[in-house]
Amino acid sequence: EIVMTQSPVTLSVSPGERATLSCRASQSVYSNLAWYQQKPGQAPRLLIYGASTRATGIPARFSGSGSGTEFTLTISSLQSEDFAVYYCQQYNNWPSFGQGTKLEIK
Amino acid sequence: QLQLQESGPGLVKPSETLSLTCTVSGGSISSSTYYWGWIRQPPGKGLEWIGSMYYSGTTYYNPSLKSRVTISADTSKNQFSLKLSSLTAADTSVYYCARSNGPSAFIDYWGQGTLVTVSS
C-alpha cells in the first residue's frame, strides 16, 4: 500500500496571499496524482490530475507540480471560497488518499 | 451534466449487510470509457476507496475490504450497487458513489454522499 502524507495538517493564510500544500508518497507514483477540494457537507471536487493538469472549470490560480514522491498544490491568491480541506490521491497502484490539509483563514 | 445519487438506509445494525444504490443520470454506466465505484469517509476523517466496476462486470476491490464487498450493476436502470457485509461501528461513514476513467484513477464525478451509521 502506498501511504500518502500531507503537510501541514492545518495552514492559516490570509485572503489574497499564496498557499502551498505538500503531499509525499511512500514510493514513486510518477505523475499519477490528483488533488481534491472538499468543503463541509460536500463531496470532494477534482482540482488537479496528472500532478499538474487542471480539471475542467478550475481557476488558473490553482496549480500542481511535482513527480515521483513529492508534490505541491499552490493557490496563488486565496479567495474566500478556497478555504476548505484539500486531499491528494495517488492512482499509480490501488488508490490511496492523504489525510488532508485544512486551509483556514488567518 | 452527469449526476450520481446514492440511496439506502441511514442506520444499519452491527453484523448486518449494508446495501447502497447509486443512480446515474446524464450518462450511461454501460459506457466503455468509465468505471463506477464507491469511496467512503468516516466522520471527520479521510477518504478510502472501496472498489469499482467496469460495464463488463469486472470488479476491483480494496484488498482490506475484499472479503466483505460486492459491487454490481443494473444496466437497465442505469444503477450500480454496493454491498458491505459483517458491519461494525468502524464502517460508519459517508459513502460516495463516483466515476473514474480507470480501476485506479482520479475521480471526476462524485455523488453527494450518504451517511451510514452502524449501531444497534
Side-chain angles (χ1 to χ4, degrees):
Chain A
E1 178 190 356
I2 297 177
V3 177
M4 307 302 291
T5 303
Q6 293 185 240
S7 62
V9 173
T10 304
L11 181 62
S12 299
V13 183
S14 299
E17 294 189 339
R18 174 188 297 258
T20 302
L21 290 69
S22 297
C23 176
R24 173 177 292 178
S26 60
Q27 64 188 75
S28 178
V29 298
Y30 303 92
S31 294
N32 297 313
L33 186 108
W35 289 94
Y36 302 88
Q37 176 194 69
Q38 187 177 35
K39 296 180 179 179
Q42 296 184 17
R45 175 175 72 142
L46 177 67
L47 299 175
I48 301 285
Y49 63 91
S52 61
T53 302
R54 277 190 303 277
T56 302
I58 301 303
R61 65 180 181 273
F62 290 90
S63 63
S65 62
S67 65
T69 61
E70 300 283 344
F71 301 89
T72 300
L73 174 70
T74 301
I75 311 171
S76 60
S77 178
L78 280 164
Q79 307 297 304
S80 58
E81 61 266 29
D82 300 335
F83 293 96
V85 178
Y86 291 82
Y87 293 95
C88 62
Q89 177 224 338
Q90 66 79 21
Y91 49 94
N92 190 64
N93 290 352
W94 183 262
S96 56
F97 295 85
Q99 83 283 10
T101 290
K102 182 179 180 180
L103 181 58
E104 64 178 25
I105 301 174
K106 186 174 182 180
Chain B
Q1 176 75 352
L2 187 74
Q3 292 187 322
L4 296 85
Q5 178 67 58
E6 305 88 351
S7 59
L11 179 64
V12 189
K13 290 182 169 54
S15 79
E16 292 188 343
T17 295
L18 169 65
S19 294
L20 295 175
T21 296
C22 182
T23 300
V24 177
S25 57
S28 172
I29 66 168
S30 298
S31 165
S32 61
T33 305
Y34 299 109
Y35 291 68
W36 306 90
W38 294 91
I39 293 89
R40 69 179 181 177
Q41 184 174 35
K45 297 187 178 180
L47 298 154
E48 179 179 37
W49 193 302
I50 299 170
S52 60
M53 62 162 290
Y54 193 49
Y55 80 104
S56 62
T58 303
T59 52
Y60 307 84
Y61 298 141
N62 187 324
S64 69
L65 298 170
K66 187 174 184 177
S67 63
R68 300 196 290 133
V69 174
T70 303
I71 296 175
S72 60
D74 184 339
T75 55
S76 66
K77 296 181 179 179
N78 215 31
Q79 296 175 333
F80 62 101
S81 299
L82 169 70
K83 291 188 185 299
L84 183 64
S85 64
S86 304
L87 293 173
T88 70
D91 295 309
T92 294
S93 292
V94 175
Y95 286 77
Y96 296 99
C97 59
R99 188 186 85 170
S100 62
N101 63 0
S104 180
F106 57 87
I107 296 168
D108 58 357
Y109 280 93
W110 299 71
Q112 67 182 26
T114 186
L115 175 62
V116 177
T117 302
V118 180
S119 175
S120 55

